[in-house]
Each structure stands twice: as structure tokens, then as C-alpha cells.
Amino acid sequence: MAVDNYSSLTVDAIQQGLRSKAFSAVEIAQEAQRFCEAENPTYGAFLSFCAARALNAAEAVDKKLADGEDPGALAGVPIAIKDVILVEGEKNTCASKILENFVAPYTATAVQRIEQAGALVIGKANCDEFAMGSSNENSAYYPVKNPAAPDRVPGGSSGGSAAAVAAGMAPLALGSETGGSIRQPASFCGVVGVLPTYGRVSRYGLSAFASSLDHIGPFSRNVKDSARLLGVMAGKDPRDSTSAGAAVADYVAGLDGNVKGMKLGVPKEYFAAGLDPEVKTRVEEAIAALEKLGCEMVDISLPHTEYAVATYYLICTAEASANLARYDGVRYTMRSKNAETLSEMYRNTRHEGFGKEVTRRIILGTYVLSSGYYEAYYRKAQKVRRLIYQDFKNAFAKVDAIVTPVSPSPAFPLGAKTSDPLEMYLSDIYTITSCLAGNCGISVPCGATSEGLPVGLQILADHFAEDKMFRLADAYENR
Ligand code: GLN
């Protein structure tokens, strides 16, 4: 018995292999560890591994199979968890020096649910520090390389999760997204990435960046696997008051390929100046393919799109400055040794522990919340956020979904944007709008540029309409 095609396994293939006894869950866990440890030095996708945890979970799956019990919807499936999502007893560094030795005291609800469904948590994925970034170059440890083009970034902030799936290290991964951090790296690496509706997945156990914008969501090699993973994680959690009670459809059962007559909005603001011509062509081809499947295209407008980047960077920095105040050297972070007084200790701990981008955001966020500026910036941004929300509500009154590019360019070379934060921020121009509005979205691979760089098609749907989004993405993928 052997797992000889580990790097291309899907959830279905694992389930079949386990049932037909082609391999055991323990063999998958062992192969996952061997493969990941061999590949990780090349890509830097993981910050740590959870070999013992994965092996224990695999033994439990094998026992259930032997006893004739249902081992769960994700039985024996290896999964990478972004290092901002807590897994009890494992490190949770948020890719920051300030949490270098922090070990999670409890497990996030999303992870608890997927482990109950039999998944094997194999390691903690690299990311931008505290999920702030679009290239994974803000990790305090090492950058991640894009498996499709190792001289290029994998996108961010969930770059390690996307790269782990793209490099064959795990069939599934969890990422987090506040403003593009799942869909943008998915498009850069050529895998599927999903932003669930805000509240769909509990944030309990997700290290907070900007609480009104933070989401946990899946990465996978195909749409069906993300649909299954989201189905397992989704639903109300009493530990997160913002988690939603909305009914969770059987997303996998809904993948019937029938998208005839569905109306898809094409927003003109997402095809304007700044969009790479090859990305534009690939997305237009994907739109033509959806038309061939029977979808009807409708020209729409999301008029407040141009304010999205500014709005996002006021709100997310404000919330980040409050959320990151807890890292003070007193409780669970590292503590500076260069301090005589308490205030020196606070100051030096934060100065030594946080990287440049995180520091920039804390300063900006503190400023926009300060008296005198709160009305001019933070409150104004909240009002514009409402207008962006309304743009989407108006659009979804007319169409079933919206189709756009995920990011204006394909993966860029390592180092290309590190000296220009604004350039970096613009990489999320097509994704941050839906985080502000709270609706769901998916990035599904739609070909590559002439240099072989993956391109993603974005399908956005209304709040809690993940079923429609998955059906469209799956029909496109299997066209
Ligand atoms: N790139 C965006 C930022 O740096 C989004 C990050 C995210 O979604 N976590 O804030």
C-alpha cells in the first residue's frame, strides 16, 4: 500500500482510496509529512508542522473505518492552517516576531469542526505578519515563493496557504481574508480560494486584524473541495456573536452544472485603466465560456469602487490599532530586555516585535481614530462603506452573480512592490470591495499569461448565496 500521487490528491480521491483500502489515513499523514518537509525549503509555505497531531487524527480515522463508523466528510484529508488561526498546543506566530513563541491555548471553531470531520491538520502556513500584506513578503520569518514561478510572490496575505495547495503539499488549506487575502493569492498561485459571506464562518480563534472585515475561508485544487470544506466549517457559533444563523445549504449537492439563464453582472469599473491586458483577455474568455453555458451577461456599475482602497485602509487600520494593543509584552508576547521603566518596556517590546507594515498600520489607525480626525476620516469611511454595500445590493437585485478579474496583474516578482505601499495596496482593488460589503466571492483559475502565470476569475454573489457562487464556479471549471 502506498500513496504514490500525494501531490495531486483531491478530497474525493482520498475518500475513495481509504474506502478501497488503497492506503490508510496514517499512510497519508506520513506521506504528507515527508512530502512537505522535502518541499518546504523551496517554497517556504509552512512556518511549523503538526506531525504528531496529524498522525493522531489519522489513527482515529483508520479506527473508525475499521469499526465500520462514518469517519467524516474530510476523513484523512491533510490541511494547512494559516498561522493566524489557533490550533491548541501548536504555535501561532501570526508570522510576527512578537508572537515567536506563542502556543495556542485553544482551537478555533473552524478548525475544531474540520477536525471533527476527520481532517488532518499538518502544519501552520506562512503569511504576511498579522495578515497585513499582498505578497507574503511581510512575514517576519521568510517569504513564500510562488510554485508557478518561484521568482515571483504567491500573493498575500495567505500566501503560504495558497502555495501549499499549489505545490501539492496539501489538498486543502485555510486562509483568512480581510481585504483580498484569500482570493488574490489563489489567483496568483492558480488554485481555488473562497471568501465566505461575513459571519458564515466563526471567527472564534482567528487572531484579529480588523474584526468587521475578518473572515476564515478555504483553498483547494478544485471548486468541489472548497464547497465541501466550507460546508463543514459554516454555521452559527455561540462563541462568535457576529457568526450568522443563516441556513447552510448542501453546497456539494448543489453542483449540478446547470447555470442556464443565470444573470451575471459585468461591472465596468473592474475592467478600467490599470488592468493588465493579458489578465483582461483571460477573464473575457472566461466570461464568454460562461455565456456559452447559458448565462446571460448584464453590464452593471458599482459606482463607489474608486473609493474602496481609501475606505478600506481607514477602517482596517483603525480596527487593527485597537486589536493589536493587546500585544504589550505583559501577557503572552515576547518582552523587550532593553527597558528600565514600564512605558519603555511597552514601547520597546512593540518596536522590536512588530515589523514595518504592522507599525505603519498601527500609527495610521491610531491617527484616524484620534479626536479631531475621527469625524473626518473614520466616520466618513464608515459612510462610504455603506455606499459600497448599497452598490452591491443594487447590483444583486438585478443579477445572480458578478464576474470580474481577481487582481489587476498576475503574480509580480519578489521585491517589485516592497518599497511602495500604495502600489502593493492596489493589488487588492477588485477584492476589498466585497470585504467592505460583506458578500461572498471565489477565485477560480481561468488560464495563464504567455509567461505561464496563473490568472483568476472572480465570481461574487450576494450575502449567504455561496450555493450560487459554487454552482457557477464548478460549472465553469468543468465546462
Ligand atoms: N492586502 C490587504 C492588506 O494588506 C488585505 C489583507 C487581508 O485580506 N488580510 O490589508
Side-chain angles (χ1 to χ4, degrees):
M1 293 203 294
V3 189
D4 42 31
N5 51 349
Y6 177 76
S7 63
S8 60
L9 285 176
T10 59
V11 175
D12 278 340
I14 290 172
Q15 311 272 281
Q16 276 158 22
L18 288 176
R19 294 220 157 79
S20 67
K21 299 199 165 43
F23 43 69
S24 66
V26 164
E27 284 171 318
I28 296 178
Q30 287 165 339
E31 180 57 15
Q33 194 191 343
R34 190 202 64 75
F35 189 87
C36 290
E37 278 174 9
E39 297 294 311
N40 205 44
T42 309
Y43 300 113
F46 285 91
L47 288 172
S48 58
F49 291 106
C50 318
R53 186 179 195 94
L55 210 55
N56 282 341
E59 279 166 3
V61 168
D62 286 339
K63 183 166 183 323
K64 281 191 178 162
L65 282 166
D67 295 348
E69 286 172 41
D70 177 6
L74 299 174
V77 182
I79 184 163
I81 309 289
K82 185 176 180 179
D83 210 19
V84 295
I85 302 171
L86 303 190
V87 181
E88 186 182 350
E90 307 292 343
K91 273 197 178 189
N92 191 80
T93 68
C94 295
S96 179
K97 286 282 174 211
I98 210 160
L99 289 176
E100 188 162 15
N101 296 312
F102 178 68
V103 174
Y106 62 90
T107 298
T109 300
V111 176
Q112 226 172 45
R113 290 184 180 174
I114 59 179
E115 286 195 316
Q116 261 159 24
L120 318 178
V121 170
I122 57 169
K124 303 297 302 286
N126 201 351
C127 54
D128 283 302
E129 185 178 5
F130 286 102
M132 296 174 190
S134 308
S135 68
N136 218 122
E137 291 162 299
N138 294 338
S139 167
Y141 299 97
Y142 36 86
V144 177
K145 306 217 170 106
N146 189 325
D151 57 333
R152 305 220 167 209
V153 303
S157 63
S158 311
S161 303
V165 173
M169 298 161 88
L172 295 178
L174 284 194
S176 71
E177 170 155 342
T178 306
S181 280
I182 292 175
R183 290 165 292 160
Q184 185 255 23
S187 78
F188 279 16
C189 292
V191 299
V192 173
V194 177
L195 172 81
T197 304
Y198 182 79
R200 193 49 122 175
V201 177
S202 168
R203 290 183 294 110
Y204 181 72
L206 169 65
S207 305
F209 162 9
S211 309
S212 78
L213 294 157
D214 289 344
H215 306 70
I216 291 177
F219 285 94
S220 60
R221 299 205 174 99
N222 61 34
V223 174
K224 188 178 179 188
D225 285 357
S226 273
R228 189 176 317 218
L229 175 53
L230 183 62
V232 168
M233 290 190 291
K236 184 79 190 158
D237 174 16
R239 291 194 171 105
D240 171 7
S241 63
T242 62
S243 71
V248 181
D250 183 339
Y251 300 131
V252 174
L255 305 179
D256 58 10
N258 183 9
V259 295
K260 238 196 182 93
M262 283 176 90
K263 285 201 175 115
L264 305 186
V266 183
K268 61 170 189 268
E269 292 82 2
Y270 287 57
F271 292 84
L275 176 59
D276 176 278
E278 282 199 274
V279 171
K280 184 164 183 250
T281 307
R282 290 295 92 80
V283 172
E284 284 171 350
E285 287 164 1
I287 291 175
L290 281 162
E291 235 171 337
K292 241 173 125 185
L293 292 171
C295 296
E296 186 191 325
M297 299 301 153
V298 183
D299 288 331
I300 60 163
S301 172
L302 298 166
H304 296 94
T305 302
E306 65 173 303
Y307 305 111
V309 172
T311 305
Y312 170 79
Y313 278 96
L314 291 171
I315 296 174
C316 86
T317 55
E319 293 187 20
S321 73
N323 275 329
L324 272 60
R326 71 190 69 176
Y327 305 114
D328 56 7
V330 176
R331 285 161 293 181
Y332 37 74
T333 61
M334 56 80 105
R335 179 179 300 174
S336 173
K337 297 195 173 57
N338 313 312
E340 306 259 297
T341 64
L342 182 63
S343 59
E344 245 176 51
M345 190 281 285
Y346 286 145
R347 200 166 49 240
N348 293 349
T349 295
R350 287 166 70 81
H351 179 70
E352 291 161 27
F354 289 135
K356 243 167 117 178
E357 181 62 26
V358 174
T359 305
R360 178 183 294 124
R361 303 230 184 161
I362 293 172
I363 293 171
L364 194 61
T366 307
Y367 179 79
V368 306
L369 286 178
S370 60
S371 78
Y373 294 104
Y374 178 91
E375 292 287 330
Y377 294 114
Y378 182 72
R379 247 173 96 84
K380 195 57 127 323
Q382 292 291 18
K383 290 180 178 173
V384 181
R385 180 178 190 175
R386 178 72 198 183
L387 296 173
I388 291 170
Y389 169 93
Q390 200 54 50
D391 278 359
F392 278 98
K393 277 292 169 204
N394 295 344
F396 289 125
K398 287 185 267 179
V399 297
D400 293 294
I402 295 173
V403 283
T404 79
V406 177
S407 188
S409 77
F412 43 87
L414 284 149
K417 300 190 181 185
T418 36
S419 57
D420 186 347
L422 188 58
E423 258 296 295
M424 191 71 93
Y425 296 172
L426 288 172
S427 183
D428 300 305
I429 189 162
Y430 304 143
T431 43
I432 55 183
T433 43
S434 35
C435 285
L436 290 165
N439 59 279
C440 59
I442 188 168
S443 173
V444 57
C446 67
T449 64
S450 49
E451 282 181 282
L453 303 171
V455 178
L457 166 72
Q458 171 161 251
I459 302 175
L460 303 172
D462 203 356
H463 299 99
F464 305 109
E466 284 90 351
D467 47 346
K468 274 190 199 174
M469 173 192 84
F470 280 129
R471 183 155 15 113
L472 279 159
D474 170 74
Y476 170 73
E477 183 186 70
N478 294 301
R479 70 195 179 281

